[in-house]
């Protein structure tokens, strides 16, 4: 298969359109290849996609935290209404995320480009089925990896202090604190996020969709609001932990170790239920 990054634009346009199929996502994939090839073929594109998603998803909830009780419609869903993040705390968390990416993530990506060849972008788009099934597989694999890592770091006192304690600075999490991570934790999460789609042979488009969706789920875990339209409320049978589960983890770090799903906490007996005014959430 030819590398799209080495083809002239007119040949790229011709081959891409000739390779079009009846797949639902093919027109979008063709558009990306033809009009945004330098961007999506850049090794820094996944970093840009992840960080911009974190910023855009966190911003509305940061605004709610600043407004507080001035927006009672949303404030009534605040899990810990007496604990409100200060602008200084939010700024520190966000600036730490910026610092980590500028000083560690981007240089790490630059170094890797010298040893790992750029992936070849395929002509064909994935089917919708492939995006959903492969994307779910990546999320389930990451959920398992992080659950094990998370339990180990909470059980081992020195590991917790050196690696994971940074993320537990706040008992009441908020959106910007999603990426308040130590460098070892950030690099571990980044390693899995890049390796898992490769192991499962995911299409690049699927990988990007998983990136955006997992960032949304991570931010939603940390917003500190039990919103009735959140994913953990929309997905049946309590399959997702969401903000109530992760908020409980920050209050009681001996439970709710899984980042997204709830099955490992249930199976291994580490599930914890959050109570507000005597009501289980």
């Amino acid at each position: 298969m030819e590398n799209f990054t080495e083809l002239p634009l007119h040949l790229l346009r011709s081959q891409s359109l000739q390779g079009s199929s009846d797949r639902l996502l093919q027109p979008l994939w063709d558009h990306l290849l033809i009009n945004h090839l330098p961007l999506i073929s850049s090794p820094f594109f996944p970093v840009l996609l992840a960080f911009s998603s974190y910023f855009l998803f966190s911003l509305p909830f940061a605004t709610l935290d600043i407004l507080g009780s001035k927006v009672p419609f949303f404030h009534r869903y605040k899990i810990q209404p007496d604990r409100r993040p200060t602008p200084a705390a939010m700024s520190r968390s966000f600036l730490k995320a910026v610092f980590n990416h500028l000083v560690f993530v981007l240089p790490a990506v630059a170094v890797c480009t010298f040893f790992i060849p750029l992936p070849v972008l395929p002509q064909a788009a994935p089917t919708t089925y492939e995006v959903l099934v492969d994307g779910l597989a990546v999320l389930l694999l990451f959920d398992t990896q992080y659950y094990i890592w998370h339990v180990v770091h909470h059980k081992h006192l020195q590991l917790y202090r050196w690696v994971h304690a940074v993320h537990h600075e706040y008992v009441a999490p908020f959106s910007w604190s999603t990426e308040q991570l130590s460098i070892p934790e950030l690099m571990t999460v980044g390693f899995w996020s890049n390796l898992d789609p490769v192991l499962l042979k995911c299409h690049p488009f699927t990988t990007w969709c998983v990136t955006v969706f997992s960032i949304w789920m991570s931010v939603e875990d940390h917003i500190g609001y039990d919103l009735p339209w959140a994913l953990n409320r929309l997905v049946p049978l309590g399959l997702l932990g969401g903000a109530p589960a992760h908020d409980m983890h920050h209050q009681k770090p001996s439970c709710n170790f899984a980042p997204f799903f709830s099955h490992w906490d249930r199976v291994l007996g580490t599930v914890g239920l959050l109570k507000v005014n005597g009501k289980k959430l």
Side-chain angles (χ1 to χ4, degrees), residues 44-107:
F44 299 101
F45 176 67
V47 179
L48 175 63
L49 183 65
F51 190 84
S52 60
S53 298
Y54 157 69
F55 177 80
L56 293 174
F57 294 155
S58 298
L59 192 58
F61 299 104
T63 303
L64 288 180
D65 284 330
I66 292 174
L67 294 175
S69 58
K70 295 179 181 178
V71 281
F73 177 80
F74 291 100
H75 189 69
R76 61 179 170 164
Y77 298 115
K78 185 72 173 170
I79 296 173
Q80 299 185 60
D82 296 332
R83 287 193 172 110
R84 178 180 168 188
T86 64
M90 290 190 283
S91 297
R92 283 197 303 271
S93 288
F94 176 70
L95 291 176
K96 182 171 182 59
V98 173
F99 176 84
N100 285 349
H101 280 76
L102 290 177
V103 177
F104 293 96
V105 177
L106 292 179

Side-chain angles (χ1 to χ4, degrees), residues 74 77 134 146 166 192 208 224 276:
F74 291 100
Y77 298 115
D134 292 351
Y146 192 81
V166 172
W192 288 331
W208 302 337
V276 177

Side-chain angles (χ1 to χ4, degrees), residues 6-252:
E6 298 176 354
L7 292 176
L9 182 59
H10 70 281
L11 291 178
L12 171 62
R13 184 182 299 273
S14 174
Q15 292 193 17
S16 178
L17 293 178
Q18 289 175 7
S20 295
S21 67
D22 57 355
R23 301 184 179 206
L24 181 64
L25 297 173
Q26 192 65 50
L28 174 59
W29 184 242
D30 286 338
H31 174 79
L32 292 173
L33 290 175
I34 294 170
N35 297 292
H36 303 286
L37 182 62
L39 174 62
I40 64 175
S41 61
S42 168
F44 299 101
F45 176 67
V47 179
L48 175 63
L49 183 65
F51 190 84
S52 60
S53 298
Y54 157 69
F55 177 80
L56 293 174
F57 294 155
S58 298
L59 192 58
F61 299 104
T63 303
L64 288 180
D65 284 330
I66 292 174
L67 294 175
S69 58
K70 295 179 181 178
V71 281
F73 177 80
F74 291 100
H75 189 69
R76 61 179 170 164
Y77 298 115
K78 185 72 173 170
I79 296 173
Q80 299 185 60
D82 296 332
R83 287 193 172 110
R84 178 180 168 188
T86 64
M90 290 190 283
S91 297
R92 283 197 303 271
S93 288
F94 176 70
L95 291 176
K96 182 171 182 59
V98 173
F99 176 84
N100 285 349
H101 280 76
L102 290 177
V103 177
F104 293 96
V105 177
L106 292 179
V109 172
V111 170
C112 286
T113 58
F114 289 101
F115 303 99
I116 303 175
L118 294 177
V120 175
L121 297 179
Q123 297 182 40
T127 64
T128 305
Y129 176 82
E130 289 172 338
V131 172
L132 294 176
V133 172
D134 292 351
L136 179 60
V138 172
L139 291 174
L140 288 170
L141 178 57
F142 177 85
D143 197 76
T144 301
Q145 292 165 328
Y146 192 81
Y147 178 88
I148 297 171
W149 183 97
H150 203 180
V151 171
V152 169
H153 280 72
H154 273 277
K155 299 299 183 183
H156 193 289
L157 183 59
Q158 294 303 321
L159 279 178
Y160 177 81
R161 289 177 176 174
W162 294 339
V163 178
H164 190 53
V166 172
H167 188 65
H168 278 269
E169 180 178 347
Y170 303 105
V171 176
F174 49 91
S175 60
W176 293 127
S177 68
T178 303
E179 296 218 8
Q180 180 166 310
L181 307 172
S182 69
I183 297 306
E185 181 168 359
L186 178 64
M187 291 305 188
T188 301
V189 171
F191 176 74
W192 288 331
S193 298
N194 285 278
L195 178 64
D196 292 350
V198 175
L199 292 177
L200 297 176
K201 299 180 180 180
C202 294
H203 191 283
F205 186 83
T206 301
T207 303
W208 302 337
C209 289
V210 171
T211 296
V212 174
F213 188 65
S214 63
I215 293 293
W216 167 253
M217 294 177 75
S218 297
V219 170
E220 196 175 65
D221 278 357
H222 291 83
I223 58 176
Y225 292 84
D226 183 37
L227 300 173
W229 53 84
L231 287 175
N232 62 289
R233 295 297 184 188
L234 298 178
V235 175
L237 305 177
L239 296 176
L240 300 181
H246 198 70
D247 207 285
M248 183 62 179
H249 173 71
H250 277 256
Q251 295 181 54
K252 185 182 177 183

Side-chain angles (χ1 to χ4, degrees), residues 231-281:
L231 287 175
N232 62 289
R233 295 297 184 188
L234 298 178
V235 175
L237 305 177
L239 296 176
L240 300 181
H246 198 70
D247 207 285
M248 183 62 179
H249 173 71
H250 277 256
Q251 295 181 54
K252 185 182 177 183
S254 60
C255 67
N256 298 343
F257 295 105
F260 303 139
F261 301 93
S262 62
H263 57 278
W264 286 125
D265 283 307
R266 291 181 177 182
V267 170
L268 298 176
T270 55
V271 68
L273 299 177
L274 181 63
K275 291 185 179 181
V276 177
N277 296 325
K279 179 182 179 182
K280 292 182 179 180
L281 298 181

